Amino acid sequence: MLQLPKVIGHRGAMAYAPENTLESFREAHRRGATWVEIDVKLTSDGVPIVVHDDSLKRTTGVDRLAAETPVAELPASVPTFEQAIACFGELGLGCNIEIKPCKGREEETARVAVATLRRLWPANLPAPLLSSFKDASLAAACAAVPEFARALLVDELKDDWRERARAVEAVGINTSGKRLTAPRAVEIKQAGYLLSTYTVNDPDVARVLVAMGTDCVITDMPDVILAALAR
Ligand code: G3P
Ligand code: MG
C-alpha cells in the first residue's frame, strides 16, 4: 500500500524558490518536506521535463512552447525528469508526479514518464504517486506499468468520480482544497481511497481539510503547513 506523507511541497516549495526547479526541490527539503509534487511534460524530441505551463515564457522568459523545444535548447533552469529524479535520490525525497501532457500527447507523455521511472526511480525512495487531470494519461500509465500507483486529479469532483477512479485503477483522489465538500470527503474515505488536497497554504484551512479526511496536503509552503499540522 502506498504511504503518503501528511504534506507535499507543491512544485518543490514554490512560495520560496522558482517552481519545478532543482533549487525548489532543495528548498522544500530544507523546509522539512519529505515529498514534492512536480509537473512532467515532453520536449519536441520526446524527453520528459519538469515544467508546468505549455509555454516556457512565464517561468523562464523564453517565449517558446515546451512541445516545440528540443531538450538541447531548453533553458538551464528547467530540469529534465531524469535530473529531478537524481536530485530526489540525493535528498531522499518522495514524489507525486503529475503527468501534464501537451494536447495530443496524453498517452505518450504517460508512457515515457513511467518508462523513465521504471529505469531510474531509486530503490531507496518511497514508491511514487502518479496523478493527472487527463484520465487518458492515467489509463496509459496503468496499462504500461500498473505497479506505479495512480491518483485521479480533479479540480471539482462530480458524481462520476468512482467510475473514473476505477477505470484507471487509482488508489487516490487528488482534488482542490477549495472545492472539496465534507460529504464528498467522507465518500472518498469510506470507499478506501487516499485523499490529497491542493494547493493549501493557509494553516487553518489545512487543519479543516485534515479534519474532513484529507490524508495529504499539497502546499507551496511545506514548513508552514507541517508546523500547523504538528500542533
Ligand atoms: O497536483 C496538484 C496541483 O499541482 C494541480 O494543479 O495546475 O498546480 O499543476 P497545478
Ligand atoms: Mg501540478
Side-chain angles (χ1 to χ4, degrees):
M1 179 76 177
L2 179 79
Q3 296 285 317
L4 280 183
K6 276 191 180 157
V7 171
I8 292 182
H10 187 228
R11 307 183 204 172
M14 72 171 278
Y16 309 113
E19 66 182 59
N20 282 324
T21 61
L22 301 183
E23 187 189 339
S24 193
F25 310 147
R26 292 188 199 288
E27 189 61 33
H29 178 253
R30 264 197 294 276
R31 290 177 185 263
T34 55
W35 281 52
V36 291
E37 183 265 3
I38 63 171
D39 304 290
V40 170
K41 59 170 84 262
L42 299 180
T43 59
S44 63
D45 45 353
V47 176
I49 57 172
V50 182
V51 70
H52 181 274
D53 300 355
D54 285 346
S55 168
L56 301 169
K57 179 94 191 288
R58 179 180 60 86
T59 51
T60 71
V62 175
D63 195 0
R64 203 170 175 189
L65 295 176
E68 293 177 359
T69 307
V71 69
E73 293 173 26
L74 212 58
S77 62
V78 178
T80 62
F81 188 30
E82 182 163 344
Q83 287 170 330
I85 293 171
C87 179
F88 303 152
E90 181 199 315
L91 299 172
L93 277 178
C95 190
N96 170 198
I97 297 134
E98 183 190 337
I99 301 167
K100 197 93 164 172
C102 295
K103 205 170 166 31
R105 301 182 90 182
E106 290 80 6
E107 295 174 3
E108 181 193 4
T109 307
R111 279 196 297 268
V112 172
V114 294
T116 306
L117 283 175
R118 184 178 251 175
R119 194 162 52 85
L120 297 174
W121 189 252
N124 64 311
L125 294 184
L129 175 66
L130 299 168
S131 61
S132 186
F133 286 115
K134 303 294 180 188
D135 294 15
S137 293
L138 294 175
C142 179
V145 190
E147 65 264 30
F148 290 127
R150 292 161 301 282
L152 202 65
L153 177 55
V154 184
D155 191 47
E156 185 171 6
L157 292 160
K158 306 276 195 253
D159 288 340
D160 65 354
W161 72 267
R162 270 174 212 270
E163 205 180 304
R164 290 176 61 189
R166 270 196 219 114
V168 300
E169 297 176 33
V171 301
I173 306 295
N174 291 13
T175 192
S176 165
K178 283 200 182 75
R179 303 199 205 288
L180 180 67
T181 63
R184 191 70 85 191
V186 168
E187 225 178 273
I188 291 167
K189 290 313 298 171
Q190 280 181 350
Y193 289 90
L194 291 165
L195 175 58
S196 302
T197 47
Y198 65 86
T199 304
V200 182
N201 295 328
D202 181 320
D204 293 334
V205 173
R207 280 191 287 264
V208 169
L209 287 166
V210 168
M212 277 165 62
T214 290
D215 299 294
C216 172
V217 176
I218 301 174
T219 174
D220 300 331
M221 310 168 114
D223 52 346
V224 171
I225 301 302
L226 278 165
L229 298 182
R231 266 185 263 133

